[in-house]
Amino acid sequence: MILKERVADDALRVALDGFSGQLTRVYLVDSEAEAVTLFKRNMRQATPMMEHIGRTLRAQYDH
């Protein structure tokens, strides 16, 4: 997340900002059940997000 500003893909930076916000929400909810639900949702989204980051970064270095 710290290095996201170095990514040239604007859409990816916006997606990372949103994902970061989702991760933070887990700690701010009022109930354990809601935290578990959000955590599970975040984990389902984590792998595609990491794959997107990898594709984008590799594409930048291919030029």
Side-chain angles (χ1 to χ4, degrees):
M1 298 307 262
I2 294 169
L3 299 176
K4 74 177 172 54
E5 294 305 322
R6 294 183 181 189
V7 176
D9 185 326
D10 292 334
L12 178 55
R13 281 198 314 277
V14 169
L16 287 169
D17 283 336
F19 189 62
S20 176
Q22 287 176 236
L23 294 173
T24 302
R25 284 186 53 216
V26 170
Y27 299 103
L28 302 175
V29 296
D30 295 326
S31 72
E32 181 180 352
E34 188 176 2
V36 168
T37 298
L38 288 173
F39 179 80
K40 287 179 181 178
R41 182 185 315 152
N42 291 340
M43 291 305 97
R44 284 192 304 272
Q45 293 176 346
T47 298
M49 182 66 67
M50 294 300 135
E51 290 170 350
H52 186 177
I53 291 167
R55 283 190 306 274
T56 301
L57 292 176
R58 285 189 300 277
Q60 286 181 339
Y61 295 118
D62 286 345
H63 293 22

